Amino acid sequence: MSIDISHLVIATHNPGKAREIDALLGPYVRRVYTAGELGLPEPEETGASFAENAVLKAKAAAEASGKPALADDSGLSVSALGGDPGIYSARWAGPEKDFSLAMGKVEAALKEVGAKDHSAAFICVLALAFPDGRVETFEGRIEGALTFPPRGEKGFGYDPIFVPDEYDITFAQMEPAQKHAMSHRARAFEKFLAFCIQKVPA
Ligand code: ITT
């Protein structure tokens, strides 16, 4: 079986994610359309897991566009907060998508539980959906620890408070290429690309 992802819809409305996905797809895809560019609606994320939400977004975009669609559901899982904000990572930023507010909420929640353990992980599940209803998922994860106050101007979302294990700078202090060499999204992409390449006939 071969799969054609040469024209792919990126089912995200998050410009930070879209930028990273574009860079990670690199030469593998000829034409990338974003959900915003195609005017696709933003489906409500009603799933109970990253995978369920990724599938829901990818399927909606594939159905609406008639093209294969790739969605990313991701977030920050903080050990001392029982995995929160997790699948609610975007919602913690409120309607204004204010991540200073979201990072402040994480810091306040850690203080409230008196947590000494600041370990956390970023998780990303990619879902690839086809107009005929087929869907595949790929998961990536990176472990690290949270630091306050936030540091760095690069990246997006919670990057300024996340220090990956074995580093002393945050994702927001890294050049994009350095983040892409290790991130949860990059790890999910490795699996996605391996799947696609394996399926393409020689
Ligand atoms: P779409 O659903 O349109 O893709 P979204 O922002 O709503 O956009 P999610 O529901 O997957 O996406 O929310 C994930 C949130 O987790 C996202 O808004 C970021 O704030 C955060 N996040 C995910 N990956 C991240 C990364 O690499 N660096 C920093 N924050 C990240």
Side-chain angles (χ1 to χ4, degrees), residues 2 36 42-43 66 76 83 91-92 95 101 180 185 187 195 198:
S2 71
E42 204 168 343
L76 181 70
R91 279 176 234 178
W92 278 36
L101 174 80
H180 296 340
R185 185 159 294 106
R187 288 175 181 173
F195 169 83
Q198 191 194 348

Side-chain angles (χ1 to χ4, degrees), residues 11-14 17 20 42 45 57 72-76 86-87 89-90 97 99 122-123 156-159 171 179 183-185:
T12 182
H13 290 80
N14 178 325
K17 265 191 201 177
E20 291 196 359
E42 204 168 343
E45 298 186 23
K57 291 188 274 190
D72 164 319
D73 203 64
S74 46
L76 181 70
I87 61 168
S89 294
K97 303 193 175 171
F99 281 93
F122 266 129
I123 298 164
F156 68 98
Y158 295 90
D159 280 341
F171 264 176
K179 180 180 173 190
S183 78
H184 49 309
R185 185 159 294 106

